[in-house]
Amino acid sequence: MAKLYFYYSAMNAGKTTTLLQSAYNYHERGMRTLILTPALDDRYGEGVVASRIGLKAHARRFRAEENLLALVQADIAARGPLHCVFVDEAQFLAKAQVWQLGDVVDQLRIPVLAYGLRTDFRGEPFEGSAYLLAWADELQEIKTICHSGSKATMVVRVDEHGRAVTDGPQVEIGGNERYVSVSRAEFKKISRGDGFIELQQPVLPLGEPQ
């Protein structure tokens, strides 16, 4: 039976890697998928979903006002039967779009797998994440680790000195140079200005000498 799944985590937990691996598993079995990505996230080029370890795939960009049920129906009409829909950066979905993804599941009987952050740099829920947590059939956390050794559940936005930025727009696209995943305790500590985070250096490919 088709379901709406929400895989959530802090940043750098491997959400996109997991998405791309799952999509590949469908393709390997001769099944067609559709990967959706928000138009505002163009870090890797327009219509490209990419992971930190180098995996990437083409994706269909969507705008905040776009009807995702209609988008999926149009894709089926143009390209034939669809076996799964994947959504990257699902925190950027609008409330109405989460409902429409539920319609894809309930009306079209197509499973939808959405991957995204749960909260923003202020600890507030994103609109898309809030309604996925409320309406998804299945919820699964993808775990990652804070520099303290505890499980990271939150995201802090930092400046060039590694100090927390606590105001500004909710959406500001960036990677390791702007956002760091931390535990709740570290989030509280750093957000009140008690210390800073040492920014990550570029990671060498696996197997290369340090």
PDB file of all heavy atoms in Angstrom, residues 16-21 24 44 48-57:
ATOM      1  N   THR A  16      20.109  13.298   1.367  1.00  0.00           N
ATOM      2  CA  THR A  16      20.101  13.232  -0.097  1.00  0.00           C
ATOM      3  C   THR A  16      20.779  11.959  -0.589  1.00  0.00           C
ATOM      4  O   THR A  16      20.347  11.366  -1.577  1.00  0.00           O
ATOM      5  CB  THR A  16      20.784  14.480  -0.692  1.00  0.00           C
ATOM      6  OG1 THR A  16      20.095  15.655  -0.228  1.00  0.00           O
ATOM      7  CG2 THR A  16      20.739  14.459  -2.211  1.00  0.00           C
ATOM      8  N   THR A  17      21.824  11.525   0.088  1.00  0.00           N
ATOM      9  CA  THR A  17      22.463  10.254  -0.268  1.00  0.00           C
ATOM     10  C   THR A  17      21.458   9.111  -0.170  1.00  0.00           C
ATOM     11  O   THR A  17      21.376   8.244  -1.058  1.00  0.00           O
ATOM     12  CB  THR A  17      23.660   9.982   0.658  1.00  0.00           C
ATOM     13  OG1 THR A  17      24.610  11.042   0.526  1.00  0.00           O
ATOM     14  CG2 THR A  17      24.325   8.659   0.323  1.00  0.00           C
ATOM     15  N   THR A  18      20.675   9.098   0.903  1.00  0.00           N
ATOM     16  CA  THR A  18      19.664   8.055   1.094  1.00  0.00           C
ATOM     17  C   THR A  18      18.602   8.129   0.011  1.00  0.00           C
ATOM     18  O   THR A  18      18.169   7.105  -0.534  1.00  0.00           O
ATOM     19  CB  THR A  18      19.020   8.197   2.488  1.00  0.00           C
ATOM     20  OG1 THR A  18      20.040   8.159   3.489  1.00  0.00           O
ATOM     21  CG2 THR A  18      18.026   7.078   2.744  1.00  0.00           C
ATOM     22  N   LEU A  19      18.175   9.350  -0.319  1.00  0.00           N
ATOM     23  CA  LEU A  19      17.189   9.541  -1.387  1.00  0.00           C
ATOM     24  C   LEU A  19      17.703   8.967  -2.708  1.00  0.00           C
ATOM     25  O   LEU A  19      17.004   8.205  -3.393  1.00  0.00           O
ATOM     26  CB  LEU A  19      16.878  11.034  -1.535  1.00  0.00           C
ATOM     27  CG  LEU A  19      15.844  11.481  -2.571  1.00  0.00           C
ATOM     28  CD1 LEU A  19      15.296  12.858  -2.203  1.00  0.00           C
ATOM     29  CD2 LEU A  19      16.401  11.530  -3.992  1.00  0.00           C
ATOM     30  N   LEU A  20      18.930   9.332  -3.072  1.00  0.00           N
ATOM     31  CA  LEU A  20      19.480   8.896  -4.352  1.00  0.00           C
ATOM     32  C   LEU A  20      19.686   7.383  -4.388  1.00  0.00           C
ATOM     33  O   LEU A  20      19.480   6.747  -5.424  1.00  0.00           O
ATOM     34  CB  LEU A  20      20.790   9.635  -4.626  1.00  0.00           C
ATOM     35  CG  LEU A  20      20.641  11.142  -4.884  1.00  0.00           C
ATOM     36  CD1 LEU A  20      22.009  11.821  -4.908  1.00  0.00           C
ATOM     37  CD2 LEU A  20      19.900  11.403  -6.184  1.00  0.00           C
ATOM     38  N   GLN A  21      20.086   6.802  -3.277  1.00  0.00           N
ATOM     39  CA  GLN A  21      20.239   5.346  -3.222  1.00  0.00           C
ATOM     40  C   GLN A  21      18.889   4.661  -3.401  1.00  0.00           C
ATOM     41  O   GLN A  21      18.774   3.660  -4.125  1.00  0.00           O
ATOM     42  CB  GLN A  21      20.864   4.933  -1.897  1.00  0.00           C
ATOM     43  CG  GLN A  21      21.027   3.422  -1.727  1.00  0.00           C
ATOM     44  CD  GLN A  21      21.992   2.834  -2.739  1.00  0.00           C
ATOM     45  OE1 GLN A  21      23.160   3.209  -2.774  1.00  0.00           O
ATOM     46  NE2 GLN A  21      21.512   1.922  -3.577  1.00  0.00           N
ATOM     47  N   TYR A  24      17.812   4.878  -6.989  1.00  0.00           N
ATOM     48  CA  TYR A  24      18.592   3.928  -7.787  1.00  0.00           C
ATOM     49  C   TYR A  24      18.039   2.512  -7.647  1.00  0.00           C
ATOM     50  O   TYR A  24      17.981   1.752  -8.623  1.00  0.00           O
ATOM     51  CB  TYR A  24      20.060   3.966  -7.357  1.00  0.00           C
ATOM     52  CG  TYR A  24      20.924   2.981  -8.103  1.00  0.00           C
ATOM     53  CD1 TYR A  24      21.412   3.290  -9.368  1.00  0.00           C
ATOM     54  CD2 TYR A  24      21.239   1.744  -7.547  1.00  0.00           C
ATOM     55  CE1 TYR A  24      22.195   2.373 -10.062  1.00  0.00           C
ATOM     56  CE2 TYR A  24      22.017   0.831  -8.233  1.00  0.00           C
ATOM     57  CZ  TYR A  24      22.500   1.152  -9.490  1.00  0.00           C
ATOM     58  OH  TYR A  24      23.258   0.241 -10.184  1.00  0.00           O
ATOM     59  N   TYR A  44      23.706  23.200  -6.727  1.00  0.00           N
ATOM     60  CA  TYR A  44      24.410  22.275  -7.622  1.00  0.00           C
ATOM     61  C   TYR A  44      23.987  22.453  -9.081  1.00  0.00           C
ATOM     62  O   TYR A  44      24.269  21.606  -9.915  1.00  0.00           O
ATOM     63  CB  TYR A  44      24.164  20.836  -7.168  1.00  0.00           C
ATOM     64  CG  TYR A  44      24.533  20.612  -5.726  1.00  0.00           C
ATOM     65  CD1 TYR A  44      23.565  20.514  -4.732  1.00  0.00           C
ATOM     66  CD2 TYR A  44      25.872  20.524  -5.335  1.00  0.00           C
ATOM     67  CE1 TYR A  44      23.909  20.318  -3.397  1.00  0.00           C
ATOM     68  CE2 TYR A  44      26.224  20.331  -4.004  1.00  0.00           C
ATOM     69  CZ  TYR A  44      25.238  20.233  -3.049  1.00  0.00           C
ATOM     70  OH  TYR A  44      25.582  20.043  -1.728  1.00  0.00           O
ATOM     71  N   VAL A  48      19.180  19.833 -10.335  1.00  0.00           N
ATOM     72  CA  VAL A  48      20.141  18.797  -9.945  1.00  0.00           C
ATOM     73  C   VAL A  48      20.051  18.568  -8.439  1.00  0.00           C
ATOM     74  O   VAL A  48      20.078  19.516  -7.655  1.00  0.00           O
ATOM     75  CB  VAL A  48      21.585  19.180 -10.318  1.00  0.00           C
ATOM     76  CG1 VAL A  48      22.565  18.128  -9.806  1.00  0.00           C
ATOM     77  CG2 VAL A  48      21.725  19.358 -11.826  1.00  0.00           C
ATOM     78  N   VAL A  49      19.925  17.309  -8.057  1.00  0.00           N
ATOM     79  CA  VAL A  49      20.000  16.917  -6.653  1.00  0.00           C
ATOM     80  C   VAL A  49      21.339  16.223  -6.465  1.00  0.00           C
ATOM     81  O   VAL A  49      21.667  15.283  -7.207  1.00  0.00           O
ATOM     82  CB  VAL A  49      18.838  15.972  -6.285  1.00  0.00           C
ATOM     83  CG1 VAL A  49      19.089  15.313  -4.937  1.00  0.00           C
ATOM     84  CG2 VAL A  49      17.520  16.732  -6.256  1.00  0.00           C
ATOM     85  N   ALA A  50      22.127  16.671  -5.501  1.00  0.00           N
ATOM     86  CA  ALA A  50      23.469  16.118  -5.303  1.00  0.00           C
ATOM     87  C   ALA A  50      23.741  15.915  -3.829  1.00  0.00           C
ATOM     88  O   ALA A  50      23.285  16.682  -2.977  1.00  0.00           O
ATOM     89  CB  ALA A  50      24.526  17.047  -5.908  1.00  0.00           C
ATOM     90  N   SER A  51      24.506  14.867  -3.516  1.00  0.00           N
ATOM     91  CA  SER A  51      24.891  14.578  -2.142  1.00  0.00           C
ATOM     92  C   SER A  51      26.324  15.025  -1.910  1.00  0.00           C
ATOM     93  O   SER A  51      27.085  15.252  -2.851  1.00  0.00           O
ATOM     94  CB  SER A  51      24.758  13.075  -1.857  1.00  0.00           C
ATOM     95  OG  SER A  51      25.780  12.362  -2.524  1.00  0.00           O
ATOM     96  N   ARG A  52      26.723  15.089  -0.637  1.00  0.00           N
ATOM     97  CA  ARG A  52      28.081  15.513  -0.284  1.00  0.00           C
ATOM     98  C   ARG A  52      29.139  14.520  -0.747  1.00  0.00           C
ATOM     99  O   ARG A  52      30.298  14.875  -0.907  1.00  0.00           O
ATOM    100  CB  ARG A  52      28.191  15.699   1.236  1.00  0.00           C
ATOM    101  CG  ARG A  52      27.402  16.876   1.780  1.00  0.00           C
ATOM    102  CD  ARG A  52      27.502  16.936   3.295  1.00  0.00           C
ATOM    103  NE  ARG A  52      26.894  15.779   3.908  1.00  0.00           N
ATOM    104  CZ  ARG A  52      27.468  15.001   4.827  1.00  0.00           C
ATOM    105  NH1 ARG A  52      28.690  15.258   5.223  1.00  0.00           N
ATOM    106  NH2 ARG A  52      26.838  13.963   5.342  1.00  0.00           N
ATOM    107  N   ILE A  53      28.752  13.265  -0.967  1.00  0.00           N
ATOM    108  CA  ILE A  53      29.743  12.263  -1.352  1.00  0.00           C
ATOM    109  C   ILE A  53      29.835  12.086  -2.869  1.00  0.00           C
ATOM    110  O   ILE A  53      30.508  11.182  -3.350  1.00  0.00           O
ATOM    111  CB  ILE A  53      29.468  10.906  -0.677  1.00  0.00           C
ATOM    112  CG1 ILE A  53      28.132  10.322  -1.140  1.00  0.00           C
ATOM    113  CG2 ILE A  53      29.502  11.037   0.828  1.00  0.00           C
ATOM    114  CD1 ILE A  53      27.903   8.893  -0.659  1.00  0.00           C
ATOM    115  N   GLY A  54      29.127  12.958  -3.620  1.00  0.00           N
ATOM    116  CA  GLY A  54      29.312  12.982  -5.061  1.00  0.00           C
ATOM    117  C   GLY A  54      28.208  12.353  -5.894  1.00  0.00           C
ATOM    118  O   GLY A  54      28.254  12.429  -7.126  1.00  0.00           O
ATOM    119  N   LEU A  55      27.213  11.733  -5.262  1.00  0.00           N
ATOM    120  CA  LEU A  55      26.090  11.189  -6.020  1.00  0.00           C
ATOM    121  C   LEU A  55      25.196  12.329  -6.487  1.00  0.00           C
ATOM    122  O   LEU A  55      25.015  13.310  -5.773  1.00  0.00           O
ATOM    123  CB  LEU A  55      25.271  10.224  -5.146  1.00  0.00           C
ATOM    124  CG  LEU A  55      26.008   9.023  -4.552  1.00  0.00           C
ATOM    125  CD1 LEU A  55      25.071   8.243  -3.643  1.00  0.00           C
ATOM    126  CD2 LEU A  55      26.560   8.145  -5.657  1.00  0.00           C
ATOM    127  N   LYS A  56      24.621  12.203  -7.685  1.00  0.00           N
ATOM    128  CA  LYS A  56      23.692  13.234  -8.144  1.00  0.00           C
ATOM    129  C   LYS A  56      22.737  12.670  -9.177  1.00  0.00           C
ATOM    130  O   LYS A  56      22.977  11.617  -9.767  1.00  0.00           O
ATOM    131  CB  LYS A  56      24.436  14.441  -8.689  1.00  0.00           C
ATOM    132  CG  LYS A  56      25.350  14.187  -9.851  1.00  0.00           C
ATOM    133  CD  LYS A  56      26.028  15.508 -10.232  1.00  0.00           C
ATOM    134  CE  LYS A  56      27.174  15.299 -11.190  1.00  0.00           C
ATOM    135  NZ  LYS A  56      27.834  16.575 -11.539  1.00  0.00           N
ATOM    136  N   ALA A  57      21.648  13.398  -9.373  1.00  0.00           N
ATOM    137  CA  ALA A  57      20.639  12.973 -10.342  1.00  0.00           C
ATOM    138  C   ALA A  57      19.859  14.202 -10.795  1.00  0.00           C
ATOM    139  O   ALA A  57      19.805  15.224 -10.099  1.00  0.00           O
ATOM    140  CB  ALA A  57      19.695  11.950  -9.720  1.00  0.00           C
TER     141      ALA A  57
END
